[in-house]
Amino acid sequence: MTRRFGDRATLAVEIGEVEPHQLRVVDLWAADKRLTTEDNSAFLPHFIGAMRSSAAQVRRRDVEPYPFPGLAPEEIFRLLHADETEFRERFWFMQWGETVDNVSTYAYLDEHLVIVFAFWRADHPSPDDLGRIFVTRIPPEEFVATVEQAADLLDAEFVSPR
């Protein structure tokens, strides 16, 4: 049975079957796109900590503000992605391990948490998505609630598996 937290149109975490060796099937969605297209086996000791870290970062509003006022989110993604300085690293987001290593993701705050991402692997299952930039906007409180609820379930099941 799959448990879903959040909304695929903004951000969702779907938790599926238990796998051996501290793994769990987890699918991440944003802007109606599944981010975990190539690897949805989350290594729980790392994954739970990374999720909680992102939730805490957003709760504290420790996310950079809109980096280039007046530009569209897609153009902001292009500028950040092309930047090879530490500036772009300030916007890296949801670095949650191998489950999302086929996606480049940045985030910033305006009145919402804005998450911009693109798939970068040529063997991505949907060739139409390669090179396209996707944008989702989510209230910070909703992001925190979604991620923390999913992390709580994963943590409870990891600590005391069924």
Side-chain angles (χ1 to χ4, degrees), residues 2-147:
T2 299
R3 294 272 318 265
R4 180 187 300 168
F5 299 90
D7 181 350
R8 288 180 175 183
T10 53
L11 178 82
V13 180
E14 296 179 355
I15 300 170
E17 64 190 63
V18 176
E19 296 184 349
H21 309 293
Q22 304 175 332
L23 298 176
R24 184 74 188 257
V25 171
V26 178
D27 281 309
L28 302 173
W29 293 79
D32 286 318
K33 292 293 177 183
R34 194 176 80 156
L35 304 180
T36 48
T37 58
E38 296 181 22
D39 183 359
N40 65 350
S41 293
F43 179 65
L44 295 183
H46 171 77
F47 193 75
I48 294 167
M51 290 176 73
R52 291 196 187 283
S53 177
S54 292
Q57 178 186 6
V58 173
R59 182 184 310 101
R60 292 187 312 266
R61 301 298 195 269
D62 188 18
V63 178
E64 292 286 327
Y66 204 152
F68 304 107
L71 295 181
E74 294 83 357
E75 186 59 25
I76 290 171
F77 178 92
R78 286 183 194 93
L79 290 170
L80 289 173
H81 202 62
D83 187 289
E84 294 184 9
T85 70
E86 291 178 12
F87 178 74
R88 121 174 123 172
E89 294 175 18
R90 296 177 5 204
F91 297 90
W92 282 348
F93 196 66
M94 291 177 58
Q95 304 290 305
W96 293 358
E98 293 178 359
T99 57
V100 289
D101 69 355
N102 66 317
V103 183
S104 296
T105 309
Y106 304 99
Y108 57 89
L109 282 174
D110 57 17
E111 67 182 61
H112 288 90
L113 177 66
V114 180
I115 303 170
V116 292
F117 63 94
F119 299 98
W120 61 269
R121 286 200 182 135
D123 59 349
H124 183 276
S126 177
D128 293 340
D129 289 345
L130 190 61
R132 288 186 52 206
I133 297 167
F134 299 93
V135 180
T136 190
R137 295 176 182 274
I138 184 170
E141 301 78 16
E142 186 178 327
F143 176 89
V144 170
T146 296
V147 172

